[in-house]
Amino acid sequence: MGTLRWEKEAAQRLADEVAEVADELKRVRLDAEEAVLEVRAKSLQTELVAKQVEKKLLARTTKSRERELLRGRNRMRELRGADIAPTDEEPTP
């Protein structure tokens, strides 16, 4: 009867060790997955900041371009106005 008991205890110890190794493997795998998710989250955060900066730059560039275009139009009006001679009197038919 002692041998059967010894074999049963040995099998139980082996099963406990296997379960412990499986748990440790699962913990390591979860840690790795967590690290990957943290890197992805940081990458997405960096990408989000870059897009926000890009939007601000686009808005600033567009506004600057509009101001420059308006200045050009105003300058053209001034130059065209200089071509027309001002008259005090209406021409007589």
Side-chain angles (χ1 to χ4, degrees):
M1 210 52 187
T3 305
L4 187 59
R5 183 176 178 188
W6 181 83
E7 288 176 354
K8 184 178 177 183
E9 288 174 355
Q12 184 60 44
R13 278 193 304 272
L14 182 60
D16 289 345
E17 286 180 29
V18 167
E20 189 177 312
V21 168
D23 286 348
E24 182 62 25
L25 180 60
K26 190 171 187 176
R27 222 176 328 229
V28 168
R29 191 174 292 136
L30 288 172
D31 286 346
E33 290 173 0
E34 181 182 22
V36 167
L37 288 172
E38 286 175 355
V39 168
R40 284 176 48 199
K42 186 162 181 83
S43 174
L44 286 172
Q45 184 64 34
T46 302
E47 190 175 339
L48 178 62
V49 169
K51 291 295 180 184
Q52 290 169 342
V53 169
E54 190 176 346
K55 277 177 60 177
K56 285 180 184 177
L57 180 61
L58 179 62
R60 192 177 339 159
T61 303
T62 302
K63 189 180 274 188
S64 174
R65 196 175 324 132
E66 288 171 354
R67 280 194 308 260
E68 194 61 37
L69 185 61
L70 184 60
R71 275 190 226 132
R73 285 181 185 155
N74 289 339
R75 181 70 179 139
M76 288 300 280
R77 283 190 196 115
E78 289 173 11
L79 293 173
R80 285 182 184 149
D83 289 343
I84 301 172
T87 59
D88 292 337
E89 296 179 13
E90 291 281 325
T92 22

